[in-house]
Amino acid sequence: MMSPLTPTTSLIEPFGLEIDLETGSMPGATNHLVRRASDMCGYYADDEALDALIADGDPLHYEVFERPVPEEDGHLMFCVSVLQPGRVGDECFMTKGHYHTKANTAETYLCLRGEGYMAMKANDGSWRAERMVRGRMVYVPPYWAHRSINTAGEPLVSHCVYPADAGHNYGDIASQGFPKRVYVRDGQEAIE
Ligand code: S6P
Ligand code: ZN
């Protein structure tokens, strides 16, 4: 009989790396994903406001920093996500949002800086928004799509961990969106 210690997934060397818990900076990251306003077409309620933003310098929207591991069952991917502050019209900057391709995989988010929400949506139309604030962790259960939303005037920085073979399914959210959006008008949050 095969021993439970016989590897069925890539065997790699252990490693450690620093994460600045104030800023989220992870100097050991080797993957850097960048999304600008022009990568967000179709995601916000006000297309014209997004076009104006793109024409006005196409500002940085969010970045993801990773020190990748094999995308295989058994490994855990971890990253730091940095979502800039800003509005498209009155709507708060947000990430695209996705289900995991392997939908029965969860994810944890630990907020290191800033304020906002983790919006989550299930396939039956259920919707939740968990507050993100420094020191608060959000558990995204299997089958829930997730999107970060920045309601503050500084970057929303979180550390995420999820099964390395989870994958990202953007298509369903790109076509259906989330049931609610987050706005700030005259300094007041509105979720509608
Ligand atoms: C990955 C995890 C995060 C997001 C990141 C950007 O499963 O949820 O690393 O990739 O916050 O969001 P999005 O929706 O553009 O991938
Ligand atoms: Zn995810």
Side-chain angles (χ1 to χ4, degrees):
M1 203 175 78
M2 198 165 77
S3 155
L5 292 180
T6 305
T8 56
T9 194
S10 291
L11 202 52
I12 66 171
E13 292 292 317
F15 62 87
L17 79 184
E18 277 73 45
I19 299 177
D20 184 319
L21 296 180
E22 295 298 324
T23 63
S25 155
M26 186 164 70
T30 51
N31 272 5
H32 181 203
L33 172 86
V34 178
R35 297 224 196 272
R36 314 193 77 87
S38 54
D39 296 306
M40 299 300 292
C41 294
Y43 281 89
Y44 290 98
D46 188 339
D47 290 327
E48 284 180 16
L50 183 67
D51 288 345
L53 208 55
I54 295 168
D56 189 24
D58 193 13
L60 178 64
H61 235 70
Y62 58 96
E63 295 163 280
V64 181
F65 299 88
E66 283 176 353
R67 172 11 185 129
V69 298
E71 293 180 16
E72 297 173 13
D73 179 38
H75 285 276
L76 291 174
M77 195 70 84
F78 61 93
C79 63
V80 172
S81 148
V82 182
L83 172 60
Q84 293 302 313
R87 311 275 183 267
V88 177
D90 294 330
E91 190 175 356
C92 296
F93 274 17
M94 61 189 184
T95 58
K96 289 185 171 188
H98 58 268
Y99 289 97
H100 289 157
T101 309
K102 192 172 171 184
N104 64 344
T105 52
E107 181 159 349
T108 60
Y109 277 77
L110 173 62
C111 182
L112 302 177
R113 181 181 174 196
E115 269 186 75
Y117 290 98
M118 179 60 62
M120 291 168 277
K121 174 196 169 183
N123 204 31
D124 67 358
S126 311
W127 184 87
R128 299 282 189 285
E130 277 293 332
R131 193 80 190 141
M132 300 272 282
V133 65
R134 178 173 167 76
R136 189 165 157 81
M137 199 206 84
V138 175
Y139 181 69
V140 180
Y143 303 107
W144 286 77
H146 41 287
R147 153 183 291 169
S148 319
I149 301 171
N150 187 346
T151 56
E154 62 176 323
L156 178 66
V157 180
S158 353
H159 178 256
C160 334
V161 182
Y162 58 101
D165 59 343
H168 295 78
N169 163 8
Y170 290 102
D172 287 339
I173 295 302
S175 59
Q176 298 158 15
F178 276 65
K180 289 179 193 264
R181 297 174 178 278
V182 178
Y183 300 89
V184 173
R185 300 187 186 103
D186 302 323
Q188 291 292 105
E189 266 179 34
I191 301 181
E192 53 196 48

